[in-house]
Amino acid sequence: MKTEFILQAVQAVNHAILAHESEIESLDREIGDGDHFINIKRGSRAIAEMRDELADLPPDMVLQRIGMKLLSTVGGASGPLLASFFLALAKTVKERGTATLPDKAAAFAAGVEAVKSRGKADIGEKTLLDVLIPVSQAFTRLAAEGVEGAALLNELKRVAEAGMLSTRDMIATKGRAAFLGERAVGHIDPGAKTCQLVIQTVCDLALH
Ligand code: ADP
Ligand code: MG
């Protein structure tokens, strides 16, 4: 993974988030407090504006700076969770590099593990982990099997979408939606939607 790719992904994600404003905003209005889009937009814009200061840094430092920026700009529950993803990602990229696909999958998995422990949450709780965990599992398995390129990226997009949609029928046991009990059923989790959108955007960028 090169710094240039990360910086391109940052710009693409920023555009994708802005393009999905009403969708993300309405999800958090339905089962949260309505601030998720504002939180995410603030973070993604702040990172997009870091382009010049990140351009000459190695990938692990770029990811580490992104994590720190998310921590200081994105509020709510999602800010520290997404920050911990990037900080753990950065640490693993620094330790073992990203030369092979299993290296990349391991870095992603380390990020997801950090979110799990920070949020004290797991799969099936109607959170962004319902996207991140299945994607990480698929990434690890496919990388070990030697699946690469479009086959890998399209499958990761499919798993992310399925994970996002799976939150619709769940009862939330973490985050604000947990206060709603059965009333959260029928609504997709906003954090899961954001993560699916980010994964789709990064995969699409890598496909081209
Ligand atoms: P807040 O809930 O504080 O208003 P946001 O609206 O920015 O924060 O983010 C809400 C999202 O955070 C939820 O949709 C959910 O995906 C995620 N989330 C909340 N609590 C947790 C947790 N403990 N573990 C994992 N994800 C969580
Ligand atoms: Mg909220």
Side-chain angles (χ1 to χ4, degrees):
M1 192 169 32
K2 295 202 175 76
T3 292
E4 197 188 321
F5 179 79
I6 302 171
L7 296 183
Q8 283 174 0
V10 162
Q11 302 302 325
V13 165
N14 192 36
H15 286 128
I17 285 170
L18 292 175
H20 288 76
E21 168 166 4
S22 57
E23 187 181 355
I24 297 172
E25 192 156 50
S26 71
L27 294 177
D28 198 40
R29 232 183 290 116
E30 278 153 7
I31 61 166
D33 57 354
D35 66 348
H36 183 64
F37 177 76
I38 299 284
N39 287 340
I40 295 297
K41 181 171 90 167
R42 195 186 305 120
S44 82
R45 187 202 292 159
I47 295 166
E49 286 171 352
M50 291 168 81
R51 191 196 325 228
D52 291 346
E53 64 185 274
L54 299 179
D56 296 326
L57 298 176
D60 65 285
M61 283 187 70
V62 172
L63 296 167
Q64 204 260 354
R65 297 273 177 96
I66 289 174
M68 295 307 290
K69 188 58 95 177
L70 287 171
L71 200 54
S72 64
T73 57
V74 181
S78 55
L81 292 168
L82 297 174
S84 61
F85 176 86
F86 279 94
L87 295 175
L89 185 67
K91 186 164 174 279
T92 309
V93 167
K94 184 177 182 168
E95 282 165 7
R96 68 181 271 183
T98 56
T100 69
L101 271 179
D103 289 336
K104 293 186 176 82
F108 191 89
V112 175
E113 282 305 315
V115 177
K116 283 170 74 173
S117 58
R118 165 65 64 135
K120 297 184 178 58
D122 212 321
I123 199 159
E125 301 204 76
K126 200 179 181 92
T127 73
L128 39 77
L129 283 167
D130 291 306
V131 170
L132 295 180
I133 292 172
V135 168
S136 178
Q137 288 171 344
F139 196 178
T140 301
R141 179 174 50 81
L142 294 168
E145 289 169 2
V147 178
E148 57 186 7
L152 171 70
L153 294 163
N154 285 324
E155 179 62 6
L156 296 183
K157 277 166 59 177
R158 192 194 65 72
V159 172
E161 169 123 28
M164 178 269 287
L165 292 174
S166 77
T167 64
R168 183 154 39 208
D169 295 329
M170 291 178 186
I171 291 175
T173 42
K174 290 280 160 24
R176 288 177 198 279
F179 297 115
L180 296 176
E182 294 275 349
R183 278 177 291 150
V185 173
H187 301 282
I188 288 168
D189 174 66
K193 176 65 210 175
T194 299
C195 286
Q196 180 266 326
L197 183 62
V198 171
I199 288 165
Q200 178 187 306
T201 304
V202 175
C203 287
D204 282 341
L205 185 68
L207 276 164
H208 295 119

